[in-house]
Structure formats: structure tokens, C-alpha cells
Amino acid sequence: MDSSDSRQSIIEVLENATSQDPACMAGAGDSLRVWETRPQFHDLLFGIFSDRTLSMPARLMAIITFKNGVDKYWKKTALHAIGLAEKELIRPRLLSMLDEDVPQIAVQYCVAVARIARWDFPMVWPTFAEELASRVQAIAHDLDSSAGSGRQRCYTMEHNALYILHLFIKKLCERTLARERQALRSTAPALFAIVAPIYARRIAQFNEALHVGDSGGSQELLKSIRFCLKTLRRLFVHGFGDFKSVDGLVHEFYRATVGHQAAFYELLCGLPAESREADGCRVLVKIVLLYGKMHLEFQKFKAVPFITTPAVLPMLRWYWQQIQGEAPKLTAVPLERSGEAESPPLVLERLVIQGLELYRSVVKNLFYLADDSGQMDEDVQRCRLVIDSEILTAPCVAQMCETLMCHYIPLKAGDMEMWQDDPEAWIANEDLDHWEFDVRRSAERLFKDLVNQQRDRNVPELVRALQQPVTEYSFNIDGLYAALGLCANELYDHIDFCQWLRQHPPVDSPMSVSKWRIAWLIGKWVPVKFPTDERPHAYVALLEYARPGEPLVLRMEAIASLLCCIDDWDFDATQFKPYLQLSIERITEMLGSVSQADLRMRMVNYLSAIVSRMQRDIVPFAESIVRLIPLLWQSAAGENLYQTAVLSLVTKLVVALGAHSAALQPFVAPLVQHSIDLDDPAHVYLIVDGIDLWLALIRNASTMDPNLMALLRHIPRLLQGSTETLKSVLKVVEGYALLCGADMMRSYGPMLLSALHEL
């Protein structure tokens, strides 16, 4: 494809690909798929993209197609790989379009160049990093000396060049081969020496633009600062093997970033809350968070230099100042006024989370602890000295625990609003392990580790606070109760939880949050230390909290804690028997109260656990459970995981009933048939549980229902299916042979023998 006719044909097809007519789009897609493996196609695509006389949609489609082709065919081992001669035509032109000013096209162009560099550097194109760095340096010099309309073009070129450099370094940092890691470390010092001064100049120019009120220039400078920082943070963390030997420029950069982050955050704090989400402020927010990402990666990959770098101490102190400064906002609206007033928003919640995680990485980190023999090498001793004497001093730890316990880990007024407005969403959200996006979860992690690593300091104070009587529920009390649950493993030798529970009954609180916290505490302490003879008191309380009329969140938590008691190693079925009927009723009532499939599935799993642990004691209540099955199966339509939970419940019920399960055969056989039907796409998810249920029915049957016998017609196809289920299917056949061998052979003998012969 090297003629002008071919070029024009490609342009027409690219324009058709952007058409709103589905037929044109489909035809264009087919043509591009045919041409993409032909010689010179990608060279022509790059030429079309470079031609600014063409329409913007055609150019955009050209560079997207080029980028996708690079992904599929640039690697020399790929099927229909782009030829060496064609690559030689493309490479010299790759950096010729840095002045592309259409954002959508520019992004695709930068990504395409970076992906080519990913494959070619350092073996095929060893000078790429040097060439790109030279262009970045030259463009930055031109920008510093330009004025008027030419300045905007320089900004565009700088943004594109820095974005390519960022993508290139990002991919280079992801490589793990020793040769590639060495290529990064040999390239990093030179790149750092070019980009760091550009970053410093743009910071100075941004301050000047703010001073004179140049909003347009400040926005462009913010973009340059962001791209510089994205590159520098990776070079700083991954580009240097030994931090003891890095030059002063690297240390000066990191020292300066502490002040820069504080200045940018102060600028963000000065903006109205409603404008922080505007497009103009998003770059500023991203820059502030980029500094935090750099600090977190520095600690993760260079733990010892992180602690011993002098600039880290003021950085950590600054983060704690922000954490402490934002804390009162979290508890500004009392629990009893939830819904009447809104809490003031945090300036930047993710920055607070970054600060909490930075402190957690210092509090609990294997690099800063002695080994199993109690020995510490010189680096660990130096880190430990800095941590104990300057970061985690006794007053600082006490202040951190108090701030976290009083403001960060209690439930907030916003939680109470969700309890009222959308309790099911709140329950589902609580079970997600998403501490990276939630201040309370991140604070809980830090608090647990603080108490765990500083037991001698924190446990006595916590025990003393827990002994105080409670007359009114507040944020402080909820935080204290939360601490009791989070730190159960640290407190069980210092506090008698059951006695404490008797001395601290629930008090009046909005939305029964006090009862919810007690139910939550029981669930936390049962696996740790909850004497067997005290369990009945827990059963009574939890079943009372789970009664209809209480808030849905409280009822769900009570049943979840009840399951913790049932799943515990020390569970006594005989002791639980008096509460069995009421427990089944409470779960049945909850099934009628929740609508989300995930929560209904959770209730089914709870019921399965009760059936499994109680075994024969479940027989008197089996009828009430069986009545639920049709409704559960109907509500689970289309929800494959939910259906597997229902099948598991029925299987455990059949096992628990033993010979009494014969009455269930006509009722359960259709469930098995649906699960093992290979013509139904859902069988992929249901077949294993369906066969387990089938096998349980056969093993516990004394007579054979016709519906159950009819399931044998599925055996031949199941035997030819996945080997994962083959053993279970053969056990099913064996069960039929032992139970009703003569009837089986008379009705299905030839078919089964033929299927077994073909194995």
C-alpha cells in the first residue's frame, strides 16, 4: 500500500469509520481489519494523522488505528508484524508532531509514541531517551524565551513532550528484567537533571503568574508542573539504586516538594468548596495528590532512606497538621442532628487518607523492626532511633490515638443519614475493603496498628477510659467502643468483655446506634475471648436487636454477629438449641426486609451455616425453611451466585435431614435439573453445586422418586463434559446403582453403559 490511491482510499474509510451510519461504520471497520496486516499501512496512517489539512475526525481515527496497530504488530515476534523497513520510515517522524494542539489527537499520539518506545528501547532504539530529553530541554528553553502567540505553541509542545516522557518512564519502571532495570538506572540521572530544573522554573513562573493575576498562564504552567512531577516522582523512587550516592539535586528536589505541596494545598484551601471540583481546579488537586503518591512510593520501595531523609520529618508533621485540622469537621454535626444539618466537607479527603497511610507505614513496617532473634542491623537501628525519638514520641502517639478515636473512627452524622435513606447500600459498603477511599477505614487501620505496636503506652489508657460509666451517647463514646472492638486482640488480657458488657448496657441514641455498636462488639469479641457459658446472654441480646421494628442496619449487624457465634470453634449446638427457632424466624423476617440480591444471598448463607452446625436438631424446623426455597429460587432468577447459595442451603438441609429428606425429592429434583442442564448458559456457575445436591439426595434416599430417576438421562452428556465434575458424576451413578440398580439398568442401562464405554 504505497500509492496515492491507497492513501485516498484509507482516508475515505477513516471518514466512514466516524460516520453516524452503522452500515458505513461496519464496512469501514471490516476494511481496516483487512488492511492492517498489509505492508506500509501504518506508515500511511501516520502520514494521514500528520496532515493537518484533513478533517479532525479522520486524523483522530488515523492515530487511534495507528496506536492499536502498534499494540498488535510492532513487536517483532507478533503475527503479521510490521516490517523493519516500514519501522525505519516511521521512527524518524515520531517526535515531529509535538505541537499537536487537538487534545484528543494529542493524547493518542503520545500514547502511540510511548508504546513504540516500550518495545524498542533500549535494544532497537537505544537513543530514544536521549533524543526525547533533548527535545524536552530545547522546548523548555524556547518557552522561557518566547512571548505572545508563540508561547501557546511552546506550552503545547512541552505538555506533549513531557507526557510522552512520563508514559515512557512509567512503562520502564514496570519492567522487571535486570537488563531493563539497568537501562532505567543508567538513564535516570540524565533525565532527572533535565526535568528537575524545568519543574523548578515552572514553579517560580507559576508563583509570578499568580502574583500578576495571569489565570491563563497559570493554568498552562500547572499542566507543565503536573507532567514534570509525574515523571520526577517515578525517577526519584525507581531510578536510583543507592540513595546514599545520589547527587544533591535529587535531595534538593525532594526537600523543595515538601514546601511546594504545602503551598499548593494552601492555595486549594483558599478556594470556595463548590469550585474545587471545577475543571480549572482539578489539575491543582491532582498535583497535591501526586506529592502524596511520591511520598507513599518512597516509603514503600525505599523504606530506610525514607526515614533517614531529613525532609521526611517536616513532611510527616505537615500531614499530621492537616489530619488534626480537618478532624473537627468530621464531628461538627452531632449524631442526633443528622439530616438537619450538613457537616462541612473536607478540603481534600484523599490527602487525609494519604497522611493516615504514611503514618501507618511508619508505625507498622518490618523494615523498622528487629528480626526474630531480636537483632537489628545498623540501618534498622538508625531508623528506629529516628522513629522513637522524633516521629512516634509518647505525646505524639497519645495525641494521634485521641484524635483518631474522637473524630475519625466513630460513626458520623452522614452514616446516620444513610441508615435512614439507603440502609442496604450502607451495609453493602461496610463490607467492602476500600480503605484507600474511605477516611474512617484508613483511620481504623492506623489506630489498630498504633495500639498493637505501642501496647505499653496505649492499652492502659484505653482500659482506663473504658471503665468510665456512660450516660449519654456521643462521638467520643462511639469512638471508644469502636476502639474496644478494633483492638480486641490487644485488650483481651486486660479487660473482661462480658463483665464490661453487663456494666455498659445500650443507652438512648439516634437510630439505635448504641445497640448497633454493642452488636458489632459482640461479633468482634466472640472469636477472641467470649466464654461459652456467657454465650446465651449474647444470643438473647442479638435476637432482641434483630426483631422487626429496629433499624435495618442494626438487625443485619445483629444477625451477622449471631453467625460469628455459630461459626466459632467453641460453638455448642445444645446450648444454642433453645434459640434456634427464633434465629430462623429472624433470618426469615430479614429476607422479607431486604431487596438487594447480595444481602438476600448473605441471609441464605447465614441460614446455611445454622443448618450445617445444628444438623439433626434442625429437623423440627425444616418445614419452615423448605417453604422459603421456592421464593428464594424465584428471587434469585438471573443471579447465578445467589442461586448457588440457595443450592448450597438445600444441600445442607438434605444432609441434616438424612432419611427424612426423601420427602424433598419431588421438590428438589427440578432444581438439580436446572443446574445440570448443559443447554442453559447458567450451568457454568451452577453445575458443581447442582451435582453436590444431587449426590446428597441419592446418599440420603431410601426410596426413589420418578423425578429423581429421570435425572439419569443427563448422565451421558455430563460424563462427556468437564473433568472437574467427572468424579462426582460417577459417584452419582454409583449411588443409583446401590439404591435401585435393577430399575436403573432396566430404564437407562444401555445408555449409561454406552456413555461409560466412551470414557
Side-chain angles (χ1 to χ4, degrees):
M1 301 185 67
D2 54 357
S3 66
S4 59
D5 291 341
S6 297
R7 183 178 188 275
Q8 187 59 39
S9 299
I10 294 174
I11 293 173
E12 292 175 1
V13 169
L14 291 172
E15 289 176 344
N16 288 337
T18 62
S19 169
Q20 299 300 314
D21 183 356
C24 288
M25 292 177 62
D30 293 339
S31 298
L32 291 175
R33 279 189 288 274
V34 171
W35 290 343
E36 67 183 4
T37 58
R38 294 184 181 179
Q40 308 307 315
F41 175 69
H42 293 88
D43 179 45
L44 289 172
L45 280 176
F46 195 85
I48 294 169
F49 145 70
S50 304
D51 187 352
R52 290 192 172 92
T53 63
L54 298 175
S55 66
M56 180 269 192
R59 295 182 63 224
L60 177 60
M61 185 57 64
I63 191 60
I64 290 175
T65 307
F66 177 81
K67 180 199 69 175
N68 294 338
V70 166
D71 276 348
K72 294 167 66 176
Y73 304 116
W74 193 271
K75 193 175 181 180
K76 63 182 181 181
T77 57
L79 185 65
H80 305 300
I82 299 173
L84 295 178
E86 187 175 359
K87 289 181 180 179
E88 292 299 329
L89 292 173
I90 295 173
R91 280 196 200 99
R93 295 184 290 161
L94 281 176
L95 298 179
S96 64
M97 295 296 293
L98 292 173
D99 60 343
E100 178 58 57
D101 57 355
V102 180
Q104 303 96 313
I105 297 177
V107 169
Q108 300 296 329
Y109 160 67
C110 294
V111 172
V113 175
R115 289 181 179 178
I116 289 175
R118 174 186 65 183
W119 297 121
D120 287 1
F121 182 85
M123 300 302 294
V124 180
W125 196 356
T127 61
F128 173 80
E130 183 181 346
E131 292 176 26
L132 181 58
S134 299
R135 296 299 297 273
V136 168
Q137 193 172 30
I139 293 168
H141 181 268
D142 293 343
L143 177 59
D144 292 336
S145 58
S146 64
S149 58
R151 192 168 182 81
Q152 183 58 49
R153 181 174 180 271
C154 290
Y155 275 130
T156 299
M157 294 181 69
E158 180 169 270
H159 297 162
N160 290 339
L162 287 172
Y163 186 42
I164 293 173
L165 182 60
H166 152 64
L167 294 173
F168 168 64
I169 294 300
K170 181 180 179 180
K171 289 298 180 183
L172 209 55
C173 291
E174 293 172 357
R175 296 182 175 181
T176 56
L177 295 179
R179 180 183 62 196
E180 295 169 335
R181 301 296 295 177
Q182 182 58 37
L184 170 64
R185 290 178 179 173
S186 62
T187 307
L191 292 176
F192 201 96
I194 290 173
V195 181
I198 297 174
Y199 165 81
R201 294 201 300 273
R202 299 296 171 260
I203 290 284
Q205 292 165 0
F206 175 76
N207 291 331
E208 183 180 348
L210 281 182
H211 181 70
V212 300
D214 182 7
S215 59
S218 63
Q219 285 296 319
E220 298 296 336
L221 288 165
L222 277 178
K223 293 178 184 178
S224 291
I225 291 169
R226 177 179 169 237
F227 286 130
C228 286
L229 190 56
K230 286 168 80 72
T231 299
L232 289 171
R233 77 177 180 94
R234 285 194 165 86
L235 290 174
F236 176 76
V237 174
H238 302 285
F240 303 96
D242 183 7
F243 256 76
K244 296 177 182 178
S245 60
V246 298
D247 57 30
L249 178 65
V250 177
H251 291 291
E252 178 59 32
F253 160 76
Y254 189 72
R255 185 163 51 250
T257 60
V258 178
H260 296 161
Q261 183 182 23
F264 280 124
Y265 184 70
E266 184 178 353
L267 179 62
L268 187 65
C269 292
L271 299 173
E274 60 273 9
S275 66
R276 292 174 194 151
E277 295 298 324
D279 291 340
C281 293
R282 286 178 185 170
V283 177
L284 182 59
V285 169
K286 290 177 180 179
I287 288 174
V288 173
L289 296 177
L290 273 174
Y291 289 111
K293 289 181 180 179
M294 180 175 65
H295 301 321
L296 287 166
E297 288 184 359
F298 186 23
Q299 194 287 324
K300 179 179 179 180
F301 294 102
K302 309 285 183 182
V304 172
F306 175 81
I307 292 296
T308 56
T309 299
V312 166
L313 294 178
M315 179 269 293
L316 287 173
R317 294 190 185 108
W318 178 82
Y319 265 105
W320 182 250
Q321 288 173 4
Q322 310 319 311
I323 293 170
Q324 204 168 20
E326 295 285 77
K329 296 180 181 179
L330 297 169
T331 51
V333 177
L335 290 173
E336 61 270 13
R337 293 187 57 201
S338 61
E340 300 176 14
E342 292 186 3
S343 302
L346 302 183
V347 174
L348 192 55
E349 183 175 338
R350 284 174 291 173
L351 179 123
V352 175
I353 294 173
Q354 286 179 342
L356 294 169
E357 289 305 310
L358 277 169
Y359 269 94
R360 181 177 178 271
S361 67
V362 174
V363 170
K364 185 178 181 180
N365 194 306
L366 295 177
F367 286 101
Y368 310 141
L369 301 175
D371 57 24
D372 294 339
S373 63
Q375 300 296 316
M376 291 187 184
D377 61 25
E378 184 179 346
D379 288 337
V380 175
Q381 289 179 353
R382 191 165 69 253
C383 291
R384 197 70 255 169
L385 178 63
V386 173
I387 291 171
D388 292 338
S389 63
E390 300 190 57
I391 301 177
L392 298 180
T393 60
C396 178
V397 170
Q399 184 188 63
M400 290 172 70
C401 287
E402 181 181 0
T403 301
L404 294 173
M405 192 165 62
C406 294
H407 297 282
Y408 280 92
I409 65 176
L411 295 174
K412 313 298 189 299
D415 293 303
M416 298 297 98
E417 291 179 27
M418 283 199 71
W419 282 26
Q420 290 178 321
D421 299 337
D422 196 352
E424 293 187 35
W426 189 91
I427 294 167
N429 192 53
E430 275 298 286
D431 288 336
L432 298 176
D433 186 18
H434 58 186
W435 54 265
E436 305 98 324
F437 312 105
D438 186 88
V439 168
R440 177 162 60 88
R441 296 293 182 81
S442 186
E444 288 174 351
R445 283 160 50 93
L446 174 57
F447 184 82
K448 286 170 62 177
D449 290 338
L450 268 174
V451 175
N452 180 269
Q453 299 296 322
Q454 307 275 340
R455 296 190 187 198
D456 294 341
R457 296 178 182 176
N458 296 319
V459 168
E461 291 295 327
L462 195 53
V463 171
R464 192 176 302 114
L466 286 166
Q467 301 302 335
Q468 302 300 318
V470 175
T471 57
E472 183 181 6
Y473 210 74
S474 64
F475 286 119
N476 290 356
I477 297 303
D478 189 67
L480 189 62
Y481 284 14
L484 176 59
L486 294 170
C487 303
N489 286 306
E490 288 74 33
L491 294 172
Y492 70 89
D493 278 338
H494 305 272
I495 191 169
D496 185 340
F497 175 71
C498 294
Q499 181 181 354
W500 180 91
L501 206 56
R502 287 190 291 270
Q503 295 173 350
H504 294 78
V507 297
D508 289 338
S509 56
M511 295 293 294
S512 299
V513 65
S514 173
K515 293 180 180 179
W516 178 89
R517 188 59 82 177
I518 294 297
W520 178 84
L521 279 171
I522 292 172
K524 294 294 182 182
W525 272 85
V526 163
V528 177
K529 187 177 181 181
F530 205 111
T532 305
D533 57 345
E534 296 281 356
R535 298 289 174 93
H537 301 295
Y539 300 149
V540 171
L542 293 174
L543 291 171
E544 175 64 19
Y545 296 161
R547 63 183 173 83
E550 295 288 1
L552 184 66
V553 175
L554 170 59
R555 295 168 63 194
M556 181 66 80
E557 188 62 41
I559 294 176
S561 294
L562 185 66
L563 180 71
C564 291
C565 298
I566 294 168
D567 267 350
D568 188 58
W569 177 265
D570 294 328
F571 174 72
D572 185 346
T574 304
Q575 190 184 56
F576 183 72
K577 191 174 180 180
Y579 310 97
L580 178 56
Q581 181 177 1
L582 187 56
S583 299
I584 295 173
E585 290 175 2
R586 292 288 185 256
I587 293 176
T588 304
E589 291 161 354
M590 276 299 298
L591 280 167
S593 301
V594 295
S595 58
Q596 285 191 14
D598 287 347
L599 298 185
R600 293 176 65 84
M601 182 173 68
R602 192 183 306 180
M603 291 296 103
V604 172
N605 289 332
Y606 291 168
L607 201 54
S608 294
I610 291 177
V611 172
S612 178
R613 296 306 296 264
M614 298 305 293
Q615 290 298 314
R616 293 292 185 268
D617 291 329
I618 204 72
V619 173
F621 314 103
E623 185 178 352
S624 60
I625 298 176
V626 170
R627 284 199 301 267
L628 289 174
I629 304 301
L631 297 175
L632 292 175
W633 189 257
Q634 183 179 0
S635 67
E639 298 285 346
N640 297 316
L641 292 179
Y642 187 4
Q643 287 181 326
T644 61
V646 176
L647 291 173
S648 178
L649 168 61
V650 178
T651 302
K652 291 176 180 177
L653 185 61
V654 168
V655 172
L657 292 177
H660 298 284
S661 65
L664 298 181
Q665 291 180 11
F667 166 72
V668 176
L671 300 183
V672 176
Q673 180 172 346
H674 175 78
S675 305
I676 63 175
D677 184 1
L678 299 182
D679 294 325
D680 189 335
H683 83 274
V684 175
Y685 307 96
L686 306 178
I687 190 168
V688 173
D689 293 280
I691 293 175
D692 288 343
L693 174 55
W694 192 3
L695 186 57
L697 281 171
I698 297 300
R699 284 178 170 173
N700 291 278
S702 55
T703 59
M704 181 61 63
D705 182 81
N707 293 316
L708 195 59
M709 178 66 78
L711 292 176
L712 278 169
R713 68 178 185 273
H714 294 279
I715 291 293
R717 292 190 65 188
L718 292 173
L719 290 173
Q720 297 170 5
S722 172
T723 56
E724 181 183 0
T725 58
L726 179 59
K727 185 176 180 179
S728 297
V729 173
L730 291 173
K731 287 183 178 179
V732 169
V733 175
E734 180 186 37
Y736 274 99
L738 294 174
L739 180 62
C740 55
D743 292 339
M744 179 186 75
M745 295 306 295
R746 184 166 49 252
S747 302
Y748 300 96
M751 178 186 68
L752 293 175
L753 291 174
S754 176
L756 291 169
H757 179 71
E758 293 176 3
L759 281 179

